[in-house]
Amino acid sequence: MKLPPEPVLTKWGTWIEAACFNIEHFKEVKSVIDSFPGKSAVSVREAQSAFSESKVQCQLAYIPSNFGFIADNIIKLETRGMPLNTSLDIVEDVKSKLSAVEGIVGIGVMKNLYLLWEETLDSRP
């Protein structure tokens, strides 16, 4: 198993990549966490507790299933010299995929997306 990606606080895509890695390698990561003595640190106990709850695996799987495409699209949008129409096509594709996310999380994501979109358009000179 390769090393997990390191999430960077200011880069959303890295958090999604980390979630994708952790669900893809859930059993292996759980095995490593369980190999540490529970008394070694509070963080170890909390991680062992979290990984033993079945809902954590379900919640973690929700992220790549519904948002896994975002990390790749962020990388595409960071490409220098990309034509504006290509960038806008990527944004529209992401927006379309996000609008298909169901449940309360999907509704919250869409509300935040529209607020962000509105703020971005309002801040233009």
Side-chain angles (χ1 to χ4, degrees):
M1 177 173 74
K2 63 182 180 178
L3 290 173
E6 282 191 50
V8 177
L9 186 60
T10 57
K11 294 187 81 174
W12 294 4
T14 61
W15 288 93
I16 295 170
E17 289 170 352
C20 292
F21 177 90
N22 284 322
I23 195 60
E24 184 179 332
H25 302 286
F26 190 85
K27 289 179 183 176
E28 295 93 338
V29 173
K30 182 180 183 330
S31 176
V32 170
I33 289 170
D34 287 342
S35 72
F36 295 113
K39 295 181 181 182
S40 62
V42 173
S43 59
V44 171
R45 283 193 304 276
E46 289 179 2
Q48 288 171 340
S49 174
F51 271 81
S52 66
E53 293 183 35
S54 60
K55 72 177 182 177
V56 169
Q57 188 172 4
C58 292
Q59 290 170 339
L60 190 57
Y62 183 85
I63 296 168
S65 296
N66 291 284
F67 307 111
F69 63 91
I70 293 175
D72 290 337
N73 283 297
I74 289 172
I75 292 168
K76 287 179 190 174
L77 289 169
E78 291 172 341
T79 303
R80 289 184 179 265
M82 180 184 296
L84 179 59
N85 64 331
T86 304
S87 296
L88 292 173
D89 287 344
I90 293 169
V91 170
E92 284 299 319
D93 182 53
V94 168
K95 188 175 161 186
S96 172
K97 288 177 181 175
L98 287 174
S99 69
V101 177
E102 296 181 0
I104 195 161
V105 173
I107 293 167
V109 167
M110 285 310 295
K111 282 182 184 178
N112 286 330
L113 177 65
Y114 283 116
L115 287 173
L116 180 63
W117 191 268
E118 206 171 275
E119 286 175 14
T120 302
L121 294 176
D122 288 346
S123 68
R124 294 187 317 184

